[in-house]
Amino acid sequence: MTGLTSSPKLIKGGLVVLAPGGGTVRRQIALQYNPDTLSRSYQVQGTGGDGSAGGRAQPFRLKGPAIETIKLDAEIDATDQLADPDAHANAVAFGIAPQLAVLEALVNPSVDDLLGIASQADGGTLEILPPEAPLTLFVWSKNRVAPVRVAEFSIVEEAFDPALNPIRAKVSLGLHVMSTDDLGFSHRGGTIFLNYLRNRETLAGLTGSASLASLGLSSLP
């Protein structure tokens, strides 16, 4: 046996959490199992193309990037870890609660942030602007890295150990891709979005153009 294999290396999807403003990396979150499906929807931002009050329709124009939403369901399971308890003390003590807590932190401000706001309020500050949240990136291969915010999040805990720690759960995530409309062009997240969009344009350029004949036309009207 040489230990060599022809099987491709499995790349996992996941999230990367950066400091507010897109600074240093705070945490990487890899999905335990890649979901079987990934749903993406777009809300087009455009103007014109419709006549109003009997008037002449204006040409359609794109005002900005389409608003993209990504939805996925992920499974988290401690079965394999519990089969080797000596090597996975946290799974024995807490099940998958730590993994769930990491995801919950994406939608909750930290205790220190909350106490800081309370301290400012006690000090007589009239208007308190909440601190900027960490910048979260959705990573689905090197060609798809997008800044996102969690718009929807739910957990269904399906099995528990004798101490009622969850040991199997399904997580549903709805992610809103943040564009330059949300972040601006100088924010690091805006730069990452532009690179995300540019990768799409590059991929589109790799496809050939269909001929008019394939569409049943010899020329345009």
Side-chain angles (χ1 to χ4, degrees), residues 33-199:
Y33 308 107
N34 286 334
D36 293 329
T37 61
L38 190 71
S39 172
R40 295 189 290 129
S41 61
Y42 294 88
Q43 180 183 344
V44 179
Q45 295 197 88
T47 184
D50 297 319
S52 58
R56 183 176 180 179
Q58 295 295 314
F60 181 71
R61 295 177 173 87
L62 292 173
K63 296 191 298 181
I67 300 172
E68 181 180 1
T69 300
I70 299 171
K71 293 185 178 182
L72 61 93
D73 295 323
E75 296 183 3
I76 305 175
D77 195 328
T79 302
D80 291 342
Q81 289 85 353
L82 294 175
D84 187 6
D86 293 338
H88 300 93
N90 282 342
V92 174
F94 306 107
I96 60 171
Q99 291 94 317
L100 297 179
V102 166
L103 294 173
E104 291 164 10
L106 297 173
V107 295
N108 287 301
S110 70
V111 172
D112 287 343
D113 285 342
L114 291 175
L115 292 176
I117 293 173
S119 177
Q120 292 180 58
D122 291 342
T125 303
L126 296 179
E127 184 176 355
I128 304 170
L129 183 66
E132 183 177 349
L135 177 64
T136 302
L137 306 178
F138 175 65
V139 180
W140 195 260
S141 84
K142 65 180 181 181
N143 293 319
R144 285 200 272 182
V145 180
V148 298
R149 64 173 175 83
V150 180
E152 299 177 33
F153 178 45
S154 64
I155 300 171
V156 178
E157 299 178 1
E158 299 181 320
F160 305 87
D161 66 12
L164 292 184
N165 293 307
I167 58 174
R168 188 175 69 246
K170 287 184 178 179
V171 175
S172 295
L173 282 172
L175 306 173
H176 169 89
V177 175
M178 293 193 294
S179 71
T180 46
D181 285 351
D182 304 297
L183 300 167
F185 289 89
S186 60
H187 193 285
R188 187 179 180 191
T191 301
I192 293 173
F193 171 77
L194 289 176
N195 186 64
Y196 173 69
L197 198 60
R198 191 178 298 279
N199 282 339

